[in-house]
Amino acid sequence: MRPRVQDIVDDQIEALLEMERPVDLVQELALPVATLVMRELLGVPYAGRIRLHGWFRQLASRTATAERRTILMGELERLAGDLIEAKHRHPAGDLLSRWVIRHQEAGLYDREGLSRLALAFLTAGHETTAGMITLGMRGLLENPIHLAALRDDPSLVAGAAEAMVRLCALADTATLRRATDDIEIGDVVIRRGESILMPAAADTE
């Protein structure tokens, strides 16, 4: 999908450069790019794409109430179910179609289960991509020396992108880790083989 993703990013940047300043980077670049790429990956039809873009814009809004977010998530759940049903009837070459075909061939087709998986991709994949674009751009703007280095040598971009993914925690969720040796933290000793829960932000530092 690299060529198509490049086209999407180029188109959004060109549109952004034509806008009156100042421009909201999140609303005009990060969210549209994440939405468009996710739609291409999952094979969302045009009508669903328009609704999807509107829903994600509203979910990202600071003014959206809890009640409104609940309604939006319900609409996303229905869209995910409709997508799975559509791929079941008319599979194509997208990711959702491949899921449906593989589950059918294995005799494990479960519309509800696949709908939940599609919803997870729509929401989690979208949020992480949009967030990563935003945090990466902020990091570069706050470190002009590194930004200048990337401009001078584009071959550094791939390594910089990987570094951003490692350094920027997008969600402060806890992950399970098992100690491979005795660890002493302050006055607490964690014995080899014991498990601990670590915040995602701490896990990347």
Side-chain angles (χ1 to χ4, degrees):
M1 289 186 64
R2 185 183 296 272
R4 179 59 185 138
V5 172
Q6 186 66 62
D7 288 342
I8 289 172
V9 173
D10 290 345
D11 289 345
Q12 290 303 132
I13 290 178
E14 288 180 8
L16 183 145
L17 292 174
E18 294 296 325
M19 295 177 185
E20 185 178 350
R21 311 293 176 88
V23 178
D24 188 327
L25 182 73
V26 175
Q27 292 291 336
E28 304 302 340
L29 181 66
L31 287 174
V33 167
T35 303
L36 289 166
V37 171
M38 190 58 56
R39 292 181 329 202
E40 294 276 343
L41 177 66
L42 300 181
V44 180
Y46 183 77
R49 295 179 182 191
I50 301 300
R51 289 184 293 160
L52 193 63
H53 189 55
W55 289 333
F56 282 136
R57 277 184 176 271
Q58 292 181 64
L59 284 170
S61 172
R62 293 183 177 182
T63 61
T65 63
E67 291 77 12
R68 182 56 184 161
R69 291 178 184 276
T70 299
I71 293 172
L72 291 170
M73 287 306 300
E75 293 174 348
L76 277 170
E77 289 175 5
R78 285 191 290 275
L79 173 64
D82 291 343
L83 283 174
I84 293 299
E85 187 61 33
K87 305 305 179 183
H88 177 60
R89 295 194 303 267
H90 305 290
D94 54 82
L95 182 61
L96 290 186
S97 294
R98 295 202 295 272
W99 287 348
V100 170
I101 292 171
R102 288 182 181 180
H103 281 74
Q104 287 176 326
E105 291 175 345
L108 299 172
Y109 178 74
D110 175 9
R111 181 183 184 277
E112 183 177 346
L114 286 173
S115 297
R116 289 196 297 268
L117 187 58
L119 178 64
F121 262 71
L122 284 169
T123 53
H126 176 272
E127 291 301 314
T128 52
T129 303
M132 200 66 251
I133 292 171
T134 305
L135 291 176
M137 194 66 232
R138 175 179 176 178
L140 290 174
L141 292 173
E142 291 178 342
N143 295 274
I145 294 177
H146 297 303
L147 178 57
L150 289 178
R151 285 174 169 162
D152 292 339
D153 186 359
S155 68
L156 299 174
V157 170
E162 182 176 350
M164 291 175 190
V165 171
R166 292 176 181 274
L167 292 173
C168 300
L170 297 172
D172 193 15
T173 54
T175 54
L176 185 66
R177 292 289 182 266
R178 187 180 301 275
T180 58
D181 206 344
D182 290 354
I183 304 171
E184 186 173 344
I185 303 176
D187 58 353
V188 177
V189 177
I190 301 170
R191 301 297 180 187
R192 177 180 179 179
E194 292 181 344
S195 296
I196 58 175
L197 286 173
M198 296 180 61
D203 198 21
T204 59
E205 292 178 353

